[in-house]
Amino acid sequence: AVVSTQSAHYGRGNELDQVEKERSTFQTLASEKDTRISNLKSDNEAFKLKERGWNVEKKKLATQIEELQAQAASQSKLLTEREDSLKKIQRDIDLLNSDQTVNEQHRQQLTNLRQEIEQRKDKEKTFELEKLRLDKDKLVQEIETKAKLRHGEMERTLDQVQDLNSKLEANLVVLQNKQDSQTKEVEEERETTAMFKAEAERDIKLQKQNAAMELEELKEQAGRREAAFQERILALQTELQNRPSGSGVNTGDTATDPAAPSPSPDQLAPSQLAVQLRDQAREIESLRTARARSLQIAVTQFQKGDTVFFYYDETKSNYLVANVSPNEYQYFLHPDNLGALGLSLDPPGRKPWAIGVIKDKEFCQARKVNNRFKVPEGRKFYRVYAQPRDSNNAPSNAPSNSARNPD
């Protein structure tokens, strides 16, 4: 019984092992089946993709086949027509060859037929060549026409450019001549100004020397007059001290007659005499200042009341103010004012230079090319009115202008 039980247990264990093996085998087979199914699906998808590509290629091939069929049909039609034509010609040739009694005329007709075929071919070639030649000639003519039009436009443009260039060159020459003329005028003015500046400096030096002598003389006269007045004041004071007390001097309490003559220095009180002396001293000082100012000659930035040096300019045929600044406006003496300075534009009475005081000035601009001041059109300048230097402020005892200006 124990043996049988063990055998039964042993047999059942073998069955279990076999079942496990079968189970393992089944699982392996199931896994392989899944793998195969997955592979089949992948193959199916790839097949579908290939099928789609085949369909596209099939459609393309079908389209190409249709096109080739159409071309083949067209070519077949042409070949058929050619074959029919050749067959007809062959029949004609066969008929001619089969007839042994054909004469020379038929042979000539055959030759003519062949020649006619060749001539037709030559005519067709000639027609095509003539057509091509005409098209070429037409194209060449169009190109030549366009080229001529373009050439004409270029010639007109070139003529316009040449005309404009000529005008610009003429304007450039005019401007260059104008600039040269202005440069020449400026150089001549500078040279003339420098020459007359030197003369003016010499004259100013002489005038300063004369003025110094005059001032010294005036100082001496003023000193002598002041000493005389001082002596007179001392004498009057001494006389007043020596007078009796009852004979007083008029102090201004009584009314004075306006029509009465001015009292002499002997009849004046010391205070009144001192006032009169101070007034005379102030008058002498003002005359001295005016005299010194009149002796100073301005050479730039001219204003009213300035003493200036006038010189005659040959290029302008007018009198100009000597100016040391070349960038400043030119100052012309007004032609209507020549007589006031004793000047004249006529050669017999013309002086090379003169000195005067500016009374007034006018700002002008040349409106014409030809003007009496001979300046370029558009040039701005001044016209001045002047008077002799010693006409208003020269002291009575000063030397005359002719003595200081030899001209």
Side-chain angles (χ1 to χ4, degrees), residues 95-368:
L95 288 174
L96 291 174
N97 291 329
S98 63
D99 192 3
Q100 296 179 357
T101 61
V102 68
N103 53 16
E104 187 68 22
Q105 184 178 1
H106 290 158
R107 292 178 182 176
Q108 187 67 29
Q109 287 179 355
L110 180 61
T111 304
N112 292 337
L113 182 60
R114 290 175 179 174
Q115 290 179 354
E116 185 178 356
I117 292 172
E118 294 295 331
Q119 288 176 357
R120 285 184 179 179
K121 291 181 179 179
D122 294 337
K123 285 183 180 180
E124 289 178 356
K125 289 181 180 179
T126 306
F127 178 76
E128 292 294 333
L129 291 174
E130 185 67 20
K131 185 178 179 182
L132 290 173
R133 188 184 65 80
L134 291 175
D135 291 340
K136 185 190 73 172
D137 294 340
K138 184 178 180 180
L139 182 61
V140 170
Q141 187 176 3
E142 290 178 355
I143 293 173
E144 289 179 351
T145 304
K146 291 181 179 179
K148 288 179 180 179
L149 293 175
R150 183 69 175 175
H151 184 67
E153 292 178 356
M154 291 178 66
E155 285 183 349
R156 287 193 296 272
T157 305
L158 182 61
D159 292 338
Q160 292 176 358
V161 171
Q162 289 178 351
D163 293 339
L164 181 60
N165 191 17
S166 300
K167 291 180 181 179
L168 290 175
E169 288 179 354
N171 293 333
L172 181 62
V173 171
V174 172
L175 290 174
Q176 186 67 33
N177 293 334
K178 188 175 181 180
Q179 184 179 3
D180 293 341
S181 177
Q182 292 179 353
T183 304
K184 184 177 179 181
E185 290 179 359
V186 170
E187 292 296 331
E188 290 177 353
E189 289 177 3
R190 286 180 178 175
E191 292 176 358
T192 307
T193 303
M195 180 181 66
F196 286 107
K197 180 184 176 183
E199 294 182 0
E201 289 177 352
R202 290 194 298 270
D203 184 69
I204 290 170
K205 186 176 180 180
L206 180 61
Q207 296 295 332
K208 286 183 177 180
Q209 292 176 358
N210 294 335
M213 294 172 61
E214 291 175 5
L215 289 175
E216 291 296 331
E217 185 178 352
L218 289 173
K219 288 180 180 179
E220 292 177 0
Q221 292 178 2
R224 289 195 298 270
R225 185 175 295 183
E226 187 176 357
F229 283 140
Q230 292 293 337
E231 292 177 358
R232 186 61 178 168
I233 289 172
L234 292 175
L236 289 174
Q237 290 178 353
T238 303
E239 185 180 351
L240 288 174
Q241 291 176 0
N242 295 330
R243 283 185 182 180
S245 60
S247 59
V249 182
N250 184 14
T251 59
D253 294 336
T254 59
T256 59
D257 187 3
S262 299
S264 63
D266 297 339
Q267 298 174 349
L268 292 175
S271 59
Q272 295 174 345
L273 186 58
V275 171
Q276 185 177 5
L277 290 174
R278 283 196 299 270
D279 292 339
Q280 291 180 357
R282 280 197 297 268
E283 182 180 358
I284 292 171
E285 186 64 26
S286 62
L287 290 174
R288 184 186 304 169
T289 303
R291 183 62 177 174
R293 185 175 183 273
S294 67
L295 292 175
Q296 295 177 354
I297 296 180
V299 292
T300 185
Q301 297 180 355
F302 308 107
Q303 302 296 331
K304 294 180 182 179
D306 287 345
T307 302
V308 295
F309 182 86
F310 294 98
Y311 67 93
Y312 183 77
D313 191 335
E314 295 287 347
T315 60
K316 306 295 184 185
S317 298
N318 275 282
Y319 284 92
L320 279 78
V321 178
N323 190 355
V324 297
S325 177
N327 297 326
E328 201 173 340
Y329 293 112
Q330 291 179 317
Y331 288 76
F332 289 86
L333 180 62
H334 200 291
D336 297 339
N337 192 221
L338 294 172
L341 298 179
L343 301 175
S344 175
L345 298 178
D346 298 329
R350 189 168 61 205
K351 298 179 182 179
W353 58 275
I355 296 176
V357 180
I358 296 177
K359 293 194 303 182
D360 196 6
K361 64 178 182 179
E362 299 174 349
F363 190 66
C364 306
Q365 185 176 10
R367 299 295 183 185
K368 300 179 181 179

